[in-house]
Coordinates of all heavy atoms in Angstrom, one line a residue:
P1 N -23.1 119.9 -155.3 CA -22.6 118.5 -155.4 C -23.7 117.5 -154.9 O -24.6 117.9 -154.2 CB -21.4 118.4 -154.5 CG -21.5 119.6 -153.6 CD -22.4 120.6 -154.3
A2 N -23.6 116.3 -155.4 CA -24.5 115.2 -155.0 C -23.6 114.0 -154.7 O -22.7 113.8 -155.4 CB -25.5 114.9 -156.1
C3 N -24.0 113.2 -153.7 CA -23.3 112.0 -153.4 C -24.1 110.8 -153.7 O -25.3 110.8 -153.5 CB -22.9 112.0 -151.9 SG -21.5 113.2 -151.6
L4 N -23.4 109.8 -154.2 CA -24.1 108.5 -154.5 C -23.3 107.4 -153.8 O -22.1 107.5 -153.6 CB -23.9 108.3 -156.0 CG -24.3 109.4 -157.0 CD1 -23.8 109.2 -158.3 CD2 -25.8 109.5 -157.0
V5 N -24.1 106.4 -153.3 CA -23.4 105.3 -152.7 C -23.6 104.1 -153.8 O -24.7 103.8 -154.1 CB -24.1 104.9 -151.4 CG1 -23.5 103.6 -150.8 CG2 -24.0 106.1 -150.4
L6 N -22.5 103.6 -154.2 CA -22.5 102.6 -155.2 C -21.9 101.3 -154.6 O -21.0 101.3 -153.8 CB -21.6 102.9 -156.4 CG -22.0 104.2 -157.1 CD1 -21.0 104.5 -158.2 CD2 -23.4 104.1 -157.7
P7 N -22.5 100.1 -155.0 CA -22.0 98.9 -154.4 C -20.6 98.6 -154.9 O -20.2 99.0 -156.0 CB -23.0 97.8 -155.0 CG -23.7 98.5 -156.1 CD -23.6 100.0 -155.9
D8 N -19.8 98.1 -154.0 CA -18.4 97.7 -154.3 C -18.1 96.4 -153.6 O -18.0 96.3 -152.4 CB -17.5 98.8 -153.8 CG -16.0 98.5 -154.2 OD1 -15.5 97.5 -153.7 OD2 -15.4 99.3 -154.9
P9 N -18.0 95.3 -154.4 CA -17.9 94.0 -153.7 C -16.9 93.8 -152.7 O -17.2 93.4 -151.6 CB -17.7 93.0 -154.9 CG -18.3 93.7 -156.1 CD -18.1 95.2 -155.8
P10 N -15.6 94.3 -152.9 CA -14.6 94.1 -151.8 C -14.9 95.0 -150.6 O -14.7 94.6 -149.5 CB -13.3 94.5 -152.4 CG -13.5 94.6 -153.9 CD -15.0 94.8 -154.1
L11 N -15.4 96.2 -150.8 CA -15.6 97.2 -149.7 C -17.0 97.2 -149.2 O -17.3 97.7 -148.1 CB -15.2 98.6 -150.2 CG -13.8 98.8 -150.6 CD1 -13.6 100.2 -151.2 CD2 -12.9 98.6 -149.5
G12 N -18.0 96.7 -150.0 CA -19.4 96.8 -149.6 C -20.1 97.9 -150.3 O -21.1 97.8 -150.9
A13 N -19.5 99.2 -150.2 CA -20.1 100.3 -150.8 C -19.0 101.4 -150.9 O -18.0 101.4 -150.2 CB -21.2 100.9 -150.0
R14 N -19.2 102.3 -151.9 CA -18.3 103.4 -152.1 C -19.1 104.7 -152.3 O -20.2 104.6 -152.8 CB -17.5 103.2 -153.4 CG -16.5 102.1 -153.4 CD -15.6 102.2 -154.6 NE -14.5 103.1 -154.2 CZ -13.3 102.9 -154.6 NH1 -13.0 102.0 -155.5 NH2 -12.4 103.7 -154.2
V15 N -18.6 105.8 -151.7 CA -19.3 107.0 -151.8 C -18.6 107.8 -153.0 O -17.4 108.0 -153.0 CB -19.2 107.8 -150.5 CG1 -19.9 109.2 -150.7 CG2 -19.8 107.1 -149.4
I16 N -19.4 108.3 -153.9 CA -19.0 109.0 -155.1 C -19.6 110.4 -155.0 O -20.8 110.5 -154.8 CB -19.3 108.3 -156.4 CG1 -18.9 106.9 -156.4 CG2 -18.8 109.1 -157.6 CD1 -17.4 106.7 -156.4
A17 N -18.8 111.4 -155.2 CA -19.4 112.8 -155.3 C -19.5 113.3 -156.7 O -18.5 113.2 -157.4 CB -18.5 113.8 -154.5
A18 N -20.7 113.6 -157.2 CA -20.8 114.2 -158.5 C -20.8 115.7 -158.3 O -21.5 116.3 -157.5 CB -22.2 113.8 -159.1
V19 N -20.0 116.4 -159.1 CA -19.7 117.8 -159.0 C -19.8 118.5 -160.3 O -19.3 118.0 -161.3 CB -18.3 118.1 -158.3 CG1 -18.0 119.5 -158.2 CG2 -18.2 117.4 -157.0
V20 N -20.5 119.7 -160.3 CA -20.5 120.6 -161.5 C -19.5 121.7 -161.1 O -19.9 122.6 -160.3 CB -21.9 121.1 -161.8 CG1 -21.8 122.0 -163.0 CG2 -22.9 120.0 -162.0
P21 N -18.3 121.7 -161.6 CA -17.3 122.7 -161.2 C -17.7 124.1 -161.9 O -18.3 124.1 -163.0 CB -16.0 122.2 -161.7 CG -16.3 121.3 -162.8 CD -17.7 120.7 -162.5
L22 N -17.3 125.1 -161.2 CA -17.4 126.5 -161.8 C -16.3 126.6 -162.9 O -15.3 125.9 -162.8 CB -17.2 127.5 -160.7 CG -18.2 127.6 -159.6 CD1 -17.8 128.6 -158.5 CD2 -19.6 128.0 -160.2
P23 N -16.6 127.4 -163.9 CA -15.6 127.6 -165.0 C -14.2 128.0 -164.4 O -14.1 128.9 -163.5 CB -16.1 128.7 -165.8 CG -17.6 128.7 -165.6 CD -17.7 128.2 -164.1
D24 N -13.2 127.4 -164.9 CA -11.8 127.7 -164.5 C -11.5 127.5 -163.0 O -10.6 128.1 -162.4 CB -11.4 129.2 -164.8 CG -11.5 129.4 -166.3 OD1 -11.2 128.5 -167.1 OD2 -12.0 130.5 -166.7
E25 N -12.3 126.7 -162.3 CA -12.0 126.3 -160.9 C -12.0 124.8 -160.8 O -13.0 124.1 -160.7 CB -13.1 126.9 -160.0 CG -13.0 128.4 -159.8 CD -13.8 128.9 -158.7 OE1 -13.9 128.2 -157.6 OE2 -14.4 130.0 -158.8
P26 N -10.8 124.2 -160.7 CA -10.7 122.8 -160.6 C -11.2 122.3 -159.3 O -11.1 123.0 -158.3 CB -9.2 122.5 -160.8 CG -8.5 123.8 -160.4 CD -9.5 124.9 -160.8
V27 N -11.7 121.1 -159.3 CA -12.2 120.5 -158.1 C -11.3 119.3 -157.8 O -11.1 118.5 -158.7 CB -13.7 120.0 -158.3 CG1 -14.2 119.3 -157.0 CG2 -14.6 121.2 -158.6
T28 N -10.9 119.2 -156.5 CA -10.0 118.0 -156.2 C -10.7 117.3 -155.0 O -11.4 117.9 -154.2 CB -8.6 118.5 -155.8 OG1 -8.7 119.3 -154.6 CG2 -7.9 119.3 -156.9
L29 N -10.4 116.1 -154.9 CA -10.9 115.3 -153.7 C -10.3 115.8 -152.4 O -11.0 115.9 -151.4 CB -10.5 113.8 -153.9 CG -11.1 112.8 -152.9 CD1 -12.6 112.9 -152.9 CD2 -10.6 111.4 -153.3
E30 N -9.1 116.3 -152.4 CA -8.4 116.8 -151.2 C -9.2 118.1 -150.8 O -9.4 118.2 -149.6 CB -7.0 117.1 -151.5 CG -6.1 115.9 -151.8 CD -6.2 115.4 -153.2 OE1 -6.7 116.1 -154.1 OE2 -5.9 114.2 -153.4
A31 N -9.5 119.0 -151.7 CA -10.2 120.2 -151.3 C -11.6 119.9 -150.8 O -12.1 120.5 -149.8 CB -10.3 121.1 -152.5
L32 N -12.3 118.9 -151.4 CA -13.6 118.5 -150.9 C -13.5 117.9 -149.5 O -14.4 118.2 -148.7 CB -14.3 117.5 -151.9 CG -15.7 117.1 -151.5 CD1 -16.6 118.2 -151.3 CD2 -16.2 116.1 -152.6
T33 N -12.5 117.1 -149.3 CA -12.3 116.5 -148.0 C -12.1 117.5 -146.9 O -12.7 117.5 -145.8 CB -11.1 115.5 -148.0 OG1 -11.4 114.4 -149.0 CG2 -10.9 114.8 -146.7
R34 N -11.2 118.5 -147.2 CA -11.0 119.6 -146.3 C -12.3 120.4 -146.0 O -12.6 120.7 -144.8 CB -10.0 120.6 -146.8 CG -8.6 120.1 -146.6 CD -7.6 121.3 -146.9 NE -7.7 121.9 -148.2 CZ -7.2 121.5 -149.3 NH1 -6.5 120.4 -149.3 NH2 -7.4 122.1 -150.4
F35 N -13.1 120.6 -147.0 CA -14.4 121.3 -146.9 C -15.3 120.5 -145.9 O -15.9 121.1 -145.0 CB -15.1 121.5 -148.2 CG -16.4 122.0 -148.2 CD1 -16.6 123.4 -148.2 CD2 -17.6 121.2 -148.3 CE1 -17.9 123.9 -148.2 CE2 -18.8 121.7 -148.3 CZ -19.0 123.1 -148.2
L36 N -15.4 119.2 -146.1 CA -16.2 118.4 -145.3 C -15.7 118.3 -143.8 O -16.5 118.3 -142.9 CB -16.3 117.0 -145.9 CG -17.1 116.9 -147.3 CD1 -16.9 115.5 -147.9 CD2 -18.5 117.3 -147.1
E37 N -14.4 118.2 -143.7 CA -13.8 118.2 -142.3 C -14.1 119.5 -141.6 O -14.4 119.4 -140.4 CB -12.3 118.0 -142.4 CG -11.8 116.7 -142.8 CD -10.3 116.6 -143.1 OE1 -9.7 117.6 -143.4 OE2 -9.8 115.4 -143.0
E38 N -14.0 120.6 -142.3 CA -14.4 121.9 -141.6 C -15.8 122.0 -141.1 O -16.1 122.6 -140.2 CB -14.1 123.0 -142.6 CG -12.6 123.3 -142.9 CD -12.4 124.3 -144.0 OE1 -13.4 124.8 -144.6 OE2 -11.2 124.5 -144.4
R39 N -16.7 121.2 -141.8 CA -18.1 121.2 -141.4 C -18.4 120.0 -140.5 O -19.6 119.7 -140.2 CB -18.9 121.2 -142.7 CG -19.1 122.6 -143.2 CD -19.1 122.7 -144.7 NE -19.1 124.1 -145.1 CZ -17.9 124.8 -145.3 NH1 -16.8 124.3 -145.1 NH2 -18.0 126.1 -145.7
R40 N -17.4 119.3 -140.1 CA -17.5 118.2 -139.1 C -18.4 117.1 -139.6 O -19.1 116.5 -138.9 CB -18.0 118.7 -137.8 CG -17.0 119.7 -137.2 CD -17.5 120.1 -135.8 NE -16.6 121.2 -135.3 CZ -15.7 121.0 -134.4 NH1 -15.4 119.8 -133.9 NH2 -15.0 122.0 -133.9
V41 N -18.3 116.8 -140.9 CA -19.0 115.7 -141.5 C -18.3 114.4 -141.1 O -17.0 114.4 -141.0 CB -19.0 115.8 -143.0 CG1 -19.6 114.6 -143.7 CG2 -19.8 117.0 -143.4
A42 N -19.0 113.4 -140.7 CA -18.4 112.1 -140.3 C -17.5 111.6 -141.4 O -17.9 111.5 -142.6 CB -19.5 111.1 -139.9
P43 N -16.3 111.1 -141.1 CA -15.4 110.6 -142.1 C -15.9 109.5 -143.0 O -15.6 109.4 -144.2 CB -14.1 110.2 -141.4 CG -14.2 111.0 -140.1 CD -15.6 111.2 -139.8
Y44 N -16.8 108.7 -142.5 CA -17.3 107.6 -143.3 C -18.2 108.1 -144.4 O -18.5 107.3 -145.3 CB -18.1 106.5 -142.4 CG -19.4 107.0 -141.9 CD1 -20.6 106.7 -142.6 CD2 -19.5 107.6 -140.7 CE1 -21.8 107.1 -142.1 CE2 -20.8 108.0 -140.2 CZ -21.9 107.8 -140.9 OH -23.1 108.1 -140.5
K45 N -18.6 109.3 -144.3 CA -19.4 109.9 -145.4 C -18.6 110.6 -146.5 O -19.1 111.1 -147.5 CB -20.4 111.0 -144.8 CG -21.4 110.3 -143.9 CD -22.4 111.4 -143.3 CE -23.4 110.8 -142.4 NZ -24.3 111.8 -141.9
F46 N -17.3 110.7 -146.3 CA -16.4 111.3 -147.3 C -16.4 110.5 -148.6 O -16.4 109.3 -148.5 CB -15.0 111.4 -146.8 CG -14.8 112.4 -145.7 CD1 -15.8 113.1 -145.0 CD2 -13.5 112.6 -145.2 CE1 -15.6 114.0 -144.0 CE2 -13.3 113.5 -144.2 CZ -14.3 114.2 -143.6
P47 N -16.4 111.1 -149.7 CA -16.4 110.4 -151.0 C -15.0 109.8 -151.2 O -14.0 110.3 -150.8 CB -16.7 111.5 -152.0 CG -16.4 112.8 -151.4 CD -16.6 112.6 -149.9
D48 N -15.0 108.7 -151.9 CA -13.8 108.0 -152.4 C -13.3 108.6 -153.7 O -12.1 108.4 -154.1 CB -14.0 106.5 -152.5 CG -14.4 105.9 -151.2 OD1 -13.8 106.1 -150.2 OD2 -15.4 105.1 -151.3
K49 N -14.2 109.2 -154.4 CA -13.9 109.6 -155.8 C -14.9 110.8 -156.1 O -16.0 110.9 -155.6 CB -14.2 108.4 -156.7 CG -13.9 108.7 -158.2 CD -14.2 107.4 -159.0 CE -13.9 107.7 -160.5 NZ -14.1 106.6 -161.3
I50 N -14.4 111.6 -157.0 CA -15.2 112.7 -157.6 C -15.4 112.5 -159.1 O -14.4 112.1 -159.8 CB -14.5 114.1 -157.4 CG1 -14.4 114.5 -156.0 CG2 -15.2 115.2 -158.2 CD1 -13.8 115.8 -155.7
V51 N -16.6 112.7 -159.5 CA -16.9 112.6 -161.0 C -17.4 114.0 -161.3 O -18.2 114.6 -160.6 CB -17.9 111.5 -161.3 CG1 -17.2 110.1 -161.1 CG2 -19.2 111.6 -160.6
I52 N -17.0 114.5 -162.5 CA -17.4 115.8 -163.0 C -18.6 115.5 -163.9 O -18.5 114.7 -164.8 CB -16.3 116.5 -163.8 CG1 -15.0 116.6 -162.9 CG2 -16.8 117.8 -164.3 CD1 -15.2 117.4 -161.7
V53 N -19.7 116.2 -163.7 CA -20.9 116.1 -164.5 C -21.3 117.5 -165.0 O -20.9 118.5 -164.5 CB -22.1 115.5 -163.7 CG1 -21.8 114.0 -163.4 CG2 -22.4 116.2 -162.5
R54 N -22.1 117.5 -166.1 CA -22.6 118.8 -166.7 C -23.6 119.4 -165.8 O -23.7 120.6 -165.7 CB -23.2 118.5 -168.1 CG -22.1 118.1 -169.1 CD -22.7 117.9 -170.5 NE -23.8 117.0 -170.5 CZ -23.7 115.7 -170.6 NH1 -22.5 115.1 -170.6 NH2 -24.7 114.9 -170.6
Q55 N -24.5 118.6 -165.2 CA -25.5 119.1 -164.3 C -25.9 118.1 -163.3 O -25.7 116.9 -163.4 CB -26.7 119.5 -165.1 CG -27.5 118.4 -165.8 CD -28.7 118.8 -166.5 OE1 -29.1 120.0 -166.5 NE2 -29.5 117.8 -167.0
I56 N -26.5 118.6 -162.2 CA -27.1 117.7 -161.2 C -28.6 117.7 -161.4 O -29.3 118.7 -161.1 CB -26.8 118.2 -159.7 CG1 -25.3 118.4 -159.5 CG2 -27.5 117.3 -158.7 CD1 -24.5 117.1 -159.5
P57 N -29.2 116.7 -162.1 CA -30.6 116.7 -162.4 C -31.4 116.5 -161.1 O -31.1 115.8 -160.2 CB -30.8 115.5 -163.3 CG -29.5 114.7 -163.1 CD -28.5 115.5 -162.6
R58 N -32.5 117.3 -161.1 CA -33.4 117.3 -159.9 C -34.9 117.1 -160.4 O -35.2 117.6 -161.5 CB -33.3 118.5 -159.1 CG -31.9 118.7 -158.5 CD -31.8 120.0 -157.7 NE -30.4 120.2 -157.3 CZ -29.9 119.7 -156.1 NH1 -30.7 119.1 -155.3 NH2 -28.7 120.0 -155.8
N59 N -35.7 116.6 -159.5 CA -37.1 116.5 -159.9 C -37.8 117.8 -159.5 O -37.2 118.8 -159.0 CB -37.8 115.3 -159.2 CG -37.9 115.3 -157.7 OD1 -37.7 116.4 -157.1 ND2 -38.2 114.2 -157.1
A60 N -39.1 117.9 -159.6 CA -39.9 119.1 -159.4 C -39.8 119.5 -157.9 O -39.9 120.7 -157.6 CB -41.4 118.9 -159.8
D61 N -39.6 118.5 -157.0 CA -39.5 118.8 -155.6 C -38.0 119.2 -155.2 O -37.8 119.5 -154.0 CB -39.9 117.6 -154.7 CG -41.3 117.3 -154.9 OD1 -42.1 118.2 -155.1 OD2 -41.7 116.1 -154.8
G62 N -37.1 119.2 -156.1 CA -35.7 119.6 -155.9 C -34.8 118.4 -155.4 O -33.7 118.6 -155.1
R63 N -35.4 117.2 -155.4 CA -34.6 116.1 -155.0 C -33.7 115.6 -156.2 O -34.1 115.6 -157.3 CB -35.5 114.9 -154.6 CG -36.3 115.2 -153.4 CD -37.0 114.1 -152.9 NE -37.8 114.5 -151.7 CZ -38.5 113.7 -150.9 NH1 -38.5 112.5 -151.2 NH2 -39.1 114.2 -149.9
V64 N -32.5 115.2 -155.8 CA -31.5 114.8 -156.8 C -31.9 113.5 -157.4 O -32.3 112.5 -156.7 CB -30.1 114.6 -156.1 CG1 -29.1 114.0 -157.1 CG2 -29.6 116.0 -155.6
L65 N -31.8 113.4 -158.7 CA -32.2 112.2 -159.5 C -30.9 111.4 -159.7 O -30.2 111.6 -160.7 CB -32.8 112.6 -160.8 CG -34.1 113.3 -160.7 CD1 -34.6 113.8 -162.0 CD2 -35.2 112.5 -160.0
R66 N -30.5 110.6 -158.8 CA -29.2 109.9 -158.8 C -29.1 109.0 -160.0 O -28.0 108.8 -160.6 CB -29.1 109.1 -157.5 CG -28.8 110.0 -156.3 CD -28.8 109.3 -155.0 NE -28.3 110.2 -153.9 CZ -29.0 111.2 -153.4 NH1 -30.2 111.4 -153.8 NH2 -28.5 111.9 -152.4
E67 N -30.2 108.4 -160.4 CA -30.1 107.5 -161.6 C -29.6 108.2 -162.9 O -28.9 107.7 -163.7 CB -31.4 106.8 -161.9 CG -32.0 105.9 -160.7 CD -32.7 106.8 -159.7 OE1 -33.1 107.9 -160.0 OE2 -32.7 106.3 -158.5
Q68 N -30.1 109.5 -163.0 CA -29.7 110.3 -164.2 C -28.3 110.7 -164.1 O -27.6 110.9 -165.1 CB -30.7 111.5 -164.3 CG -32.1 111.0 -164.8 CD -33.0 112.2 -165.1 OE1 -32.5 113.3 -165.3 NE2 -34.3 111.9 -165.2
I69 N -27.8 110.9 -162.9 CA -26.4 111.3 -162.7 C -25.5 110.1 -163.2 O -24.5 110.3 -163.9 CB -26.0 111.6 -161.2 CG1 -26.7 112.9 -160.8 CG2 -24.5 111.7 -161.0 CD1 -26.6 113.3 -159.4
L70 N -25.9 108.9 -162.8 CA -25.1 107.7 -163.2 C -25.1 107.6 -164.7 O -24.1 107.1 -165.3 CB -25.7 106.4 -162.6 CG -25.6 106.3 -161.1 CD1 -26.3 105.1 -160.6 CD2 -24.1 106.3 -160.7
L71 N -26.1 108.0 -165.4 CA -26.1 108.0 -166.9 C -25.1 108.9 -167.5 O -24.6 108.7 -168.6 CB -27.5 108.3 -167.5 CG -28.6 107.3 -167.1 CD1 -29.9 107.9 -167.6 CD2 -28.3 106.0 -167.7
Q72 N -24.7 110.0 -166.8 CA -23.7 110.9 -167.2 C -22.3 110.4 -167.0 O -21.3 110.9 -167.6 CB -23.8 112.3 -166.5 CG -25.1 113.0 -166.8 CD -25.1 114.4 -166.0 OE1 -24.2 115.2 -166.2 NE2 -26.1 114.6 -165.2
V73 N -22.1 109.5 -166.1 CA -20.8 109.0 -165.7 C -20.3 108.0 -166.6 O -20.9 107.1 -167.1 CB -20.8 108.5 -164.3 CG1 -19.5 107.9 -163.9 CG2 -21.2 109.6 -163.3

């Protein structure tokens, strides 16, 4: 998964999780939230929404190319 912070005028910003699900395994926001809670991630980092993408594009160094994810959404 990859997380993106998008501007949201009323809230200031929203966290969106881009996910490539495994075949026949649905992904839910509730399951992702439980996963993050178990790993003691700070609640303010939890995503508000999940978007399903075909792939998480990365550059040669392995860094996520967030702009290309947004083109898939």
Side-chain angles (χ1 to χ4, degrees):
C3 286
L4 311 162
V5 178
L6 302 177
D8 185 297
L11 299 175
R14 294 190 86 147
V15 178
I16 307 295
V19 178
V20 179
L22 295 173
D24 301 323
E25 288 196 34
V27 178
T28 66
L29 187 57
E30 294 79 20
L32 180 56
T33 298
R34 280 193 305 276
F35 176 83
L36 295 172
E37 287 172 340
E38 290 169 1
R39 280 144 186 86
R40 300 183 186 258
V41 173
Y44 74 90
K45 295 181 179 181
F46 289 7
D48 300 311
K49 182 178 178 178
I50 290 180
V51 293
I52 305 300
V53 294
R54 291 182 306 277
Q55 67 174 4
I56 304 291
R58 298 178 184 272
N59 67 12
D61 296 328
R63 294 188 183 185
V64 173
L65 299 172
R66 288 172 172 77
E67 301 81 24
Q68 290 187 16
I69 292 174
L70 291 174
L71 294 175
Q72 295 182 55
V73 176

